[in-house]
């Protein structure tokens, strides 16, 4: 039997209201012990909560939700109490003293919802992204997955594969029967169209870019103005700026939203071939790796040395020595060109993000969608139909892995560990 768990599911106190959730087979008894009786199902009631000694804890709104039609798929109770630290702590302490109850681990409520079939893995991943969303684009993208749009797409594909597999199995099992025809003329086209659709959606930018932000790497030689531009874009003195070459020794990252687009700005050590000490050499190696991993690279060095696909930036445009230089001219001192650079970053960032109004896969989901497409493409109508049936089964199993019908405990631990306690 599952333990009964409890946790504060609202924001950290102090707050106007604190919501304490209890889930598991002992949820009803726990609520009745605190409130004096069990209120009618799904009907809020005001009760005076008391501990085991009869001492009043708070006057709160209590709700009782018998399973399985609940958020977690099991008996569930909620206490809407005053959100002061002492009140929340006292109620949690009273629950903790009850036999069979324990405080929930991070993500345990959502994990129970998944285990009990209330949500699938794709919806759980979308919920994790929704909880972490800091921009409107992130919210919209995560809301699609959390709301089941991605799961409905996968289920549609799965049903199509089941229909195709049934046609193949019928021909295999009843090939000697006169009233059983061969595969329909549309069979091959349906297989091809389904594989193309899977590859099209899987080929869109990964959902992690929306969640984690577009990496914008500022790179170039020492004293090119990278850290000054980094600070100007952040409107903060995050990086140390001096006239001494090699001041930046490591990679410095800061998340920022510009025009609603999530970015991660990356300041790097000055890249030079000679004259660097041992510590600076390590920083240069890290800078080169950051350039390789960046989605957008702002190059503040000589045009001939710019990485492929980078944006040429002429910093310190307020100095006479920079007049006539190539690239977008900016000045961290006067602010010249900063607005134009920000506009360009927003435009490029939106191009690099998955469409927030369409289903998008993260890397794990993309892996299984592409695996399903490969199995479909391996189906040969003119070949051995037993092999074709096995490829169709493998395609369906890949989609099952995508939505979590067959998931490893390690992967589930990693996912639900991203959640806060109480969710």
């Amino acid at each position: 039997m599952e333990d009964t768990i409890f946790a504060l599911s609202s924001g950290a106190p102090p707050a106007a209201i604190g919501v304490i959730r209890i889930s598991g087979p002992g949820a009803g008894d726990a609520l009745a012990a605190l409130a004096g009786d069990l209120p009618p199902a799904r009907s809020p009631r005001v009760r005076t909560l008391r501990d085991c000694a009869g001492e009043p804890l708070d006057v709160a709104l209590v709700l009782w939700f018998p399973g399985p039609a609940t958020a977690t798929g099991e008996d569930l109770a909620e206490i809407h109490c005053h959100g002061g630290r002492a009140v929340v702590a006292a109620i949690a302490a009273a629950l903790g003293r009850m036999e069979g109850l324990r405080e929930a681990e991070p993500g345990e409520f959502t994990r129970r919802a998944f285990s009990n079939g209330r949500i699938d893995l794709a919806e759980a991943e979308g919920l994790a992204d929704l909880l972490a969303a800091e921009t409107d684009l992130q919210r919209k993208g995560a809301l699609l997955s959390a709301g089941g749009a991605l799961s409905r797409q996968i289920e549609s594909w799965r049903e199509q594969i089941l229909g195709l597999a049934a046609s193949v199995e019928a021909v295999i099992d009843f090939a000697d029967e006169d009233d059983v025809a061969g595969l329909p003329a549309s069979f091959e086209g349906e297989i091809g169209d389904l594989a193309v659709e899977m590859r099209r959606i899987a080929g869109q930018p990964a959902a992690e870019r929306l969640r984690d932000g577009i990496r914008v790497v500022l790179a170039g030689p020492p004293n090119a103005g990278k850290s000054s531009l980094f600070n100007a874009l952040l409107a903060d003195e995050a990086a140390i700026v001096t006239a001494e070459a090699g001041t930046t020794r490591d990679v410095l990252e800061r998340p920022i939203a510009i025009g609603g687009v999530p970015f991660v700005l990356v300041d790097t050590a000055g890249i030079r071939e000679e004259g660097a000490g041992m510590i600076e050499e390590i920083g240069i190696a890290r800078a080169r790796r950051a350039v390789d991993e960046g989605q957008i690279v702002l190059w503040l060095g000589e045009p001939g040395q710019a990485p492929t696909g980078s944006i040429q930036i002429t910093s310190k445009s307020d100095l006479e020595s920079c007049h006539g230089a190539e690239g977008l001219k900016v000045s961290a001192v006067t602010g010249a060109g900063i607005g134009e650079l920000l506009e360009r970053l927003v435009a490029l960032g939106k191009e690099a993000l998955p469409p927030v109004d369409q289903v998008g896969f993260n890397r794990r989901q993309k892996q299984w969608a592409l695996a399903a497409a490969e199995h479909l493409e391996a189906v040969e109508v003119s070949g051995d139909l037993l092999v074709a049936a096995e490829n169709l089964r493998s395609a369906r199993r890949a989609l099952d892995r995508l939505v979590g019908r067959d998931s490893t405990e390690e992967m589930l631990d990693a996912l639900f560990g991203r959640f806060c306690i109480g969710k």
Side-chain angles (χ1 to χ4, degrees):
M1 180 180 291
E2 287 268 23
D3 292 338
T4 299
I5 58 174
F6 68 91
L8 178 68
S9 291
S10 55
I17 300 293
V19 179
I20 297 174
R21 178 178 288 178
I22 313 167
S23 183
D29 291 341
L31 182 61
L34 286 177
D37 64 0
L38 201 61
R42 294 174 173 79
S43 182
R45 292 290 188 272
V46 176
R47 293 286 189 271
T48 298
L49 306 182
R50 299 180 184 276
D51 63 16
C52 59
E55 289 295 318
L57 301 173
D58 190 27
V59 177
L61 192 72
V62 297
L63 297 100
W64 163 239
F65 304 96
T70 65
T72 58
E74 54 191 14
D75 288 351
L76 184 73
E78 286 187 358
I79 299 170
H80 296 227
C81 60
H82 292 93
R85 290 190 180 92
V87 173
V88 171
I91 295 173
L95 289 170
R97 286 192 290 268
M98 295 182 186
E99 186 177 354
L101 266 70
R102 63 172 175 82
E103 191 168 2
E105 298 175 358
E108 192 168 4
F109 288 100
T110 307
R111 185 161 186 164
R112 291 192 177 196
F114 168 74
S115 299
N116 294 323
R118 299 299 294 173
I119 61 173
D120 64 27
L121 191 59
E123 291 171 307
E125 288 173 318
L127 181 57
D129 290 342
L130 186 61
L131 293 173
E134 295 184 355
T135 71
D136 204 44
L137 286 177
Q138 290 172 326
R139 177 189 63 81
K140 290 178 180 178
L143 200 57
L144 274 179
S145 293
L150 190 152
S151 301
R152 289 189 291 273
Q153 176 68 78
I154 300 307
E155 187 59 31
S156 173
W157 289 346
R158 192 173 183 275
E159 289 177 1
Q160 291 180 66
I161 291 174
L162 286 172
L164 293 166
S167 298
V168 173
E169 297 288 351
V171 174
I172 293 173
D173 293 340
F174 305 105
D176 296 332
E177 301 289 338
D178 293 335
D179 59 344
V180 176
L183 292 173
S186 62
F187 184 89
E188 203 165 0
E190 289 181 47
I191 287 278
D193 291 345
L194 188 53
V196 167
E197 184 179 14
M198 288 179 178
R199 287 197 176 277
R200 178 184 62 80
I201 296 180
Q204 294 175 348
E208 281 89 353
R209 287 193 182 180
L210 187 58
R211 183 187 73 203
D212 300 336
I214 305 297
R215 292 182 68 81
V216 180
V217 180
L218 286 73
N223 276 352
K226 299 183 297 299
S227 296
S228 296
L229 179 57
F230 180 78
N231 290 341
L233 292 174
L234 289 173
D236 187 23
E237 297 299 318
I240 298 173
V241 178
T242 72
E244 179 182 343
T247 299
T248 302
R249 300 292 184 91
D250 205 349
V251 172
L252 182 62
E253 299 184 3
R254 288 291 186 275
I256 184 175
I258 306 172
V261 178
F263 292 98
V264 176
L265 298 184
V266 184
D267 188 22
T268 62
I271 298 175
R272 55 177 168 176
E273 301 299 331
E274 299 177 352
M278 183 180 298
I279 296 177
E280 190 180 348
E281 285 285 0
I282 296 173
I284 292 172
R286 292 180 179 179
R288 296 187 191 279
R289 285 198 299 271
V291 169
D292 292 338
E293 296 169 358
Q295 280 90 44
I296 300 174
V297 177
L298 305 182
W299 179 251
L300 283 72
E302 292 295 325
Q305 300 172 357
T308 303
S310 61
I311 300 174
Q312 181 68 44
I313 300 292
T314 295
S315 61
K316 306 178 183 180
S317 64
D318 51 303
L319 303 179
E320 291 186 9
S321 58
C322 292
H323 294 174
E326 297 181 28
L328 179 61
K329 297 178 175 58
V330 301
S331 171
V333 175
T334 67
I338 298 295
E340 184 180 351
L341 175 57
L342 292 175
E343 290 177 4
R344 191 164 179 182
L345 289 177
V346 169
L348 290 172
K350 288 181 177 179
E351 291 176 5
L353 292 175
V356 294
D357 58 345
Q358 299 176 26
V359 170
F361 293 137
N362 61 32
R363 293 185 187 93
R364 185 196 67 81
Q365 295 162 351
K366 180 178 293 193
Q367 169 194 347
W368 292 113
L370 290 175
E374 289 176 6
H375 288 301
L376 291 178
E377 291 162 350
V379 173
E380 294 185 8
V381 177
S382 59
D384 188 339
L385 289 185
L386 289 174
V387 176
E390 181 57 33
N391 275 310
L392 287 169
R393 280 192 289 271
S394 296
R396 177 178 54 78
R397 284 195 293 266
L399 295 183
D400 287 346
R401 294 293 297 272
L402 195 157
V403 293
R405 287 191 174 98
D406 181 15
S407 302
T408 65
E409 287 299 311
E410 291 82 1
M411 186 271 291
L412 295 177
D413 289 343
L415 168 63
F416 293 111
R418 293 171 51 196
F419 287 75
C420 58
I421 294 174
K423 190 61 182 175

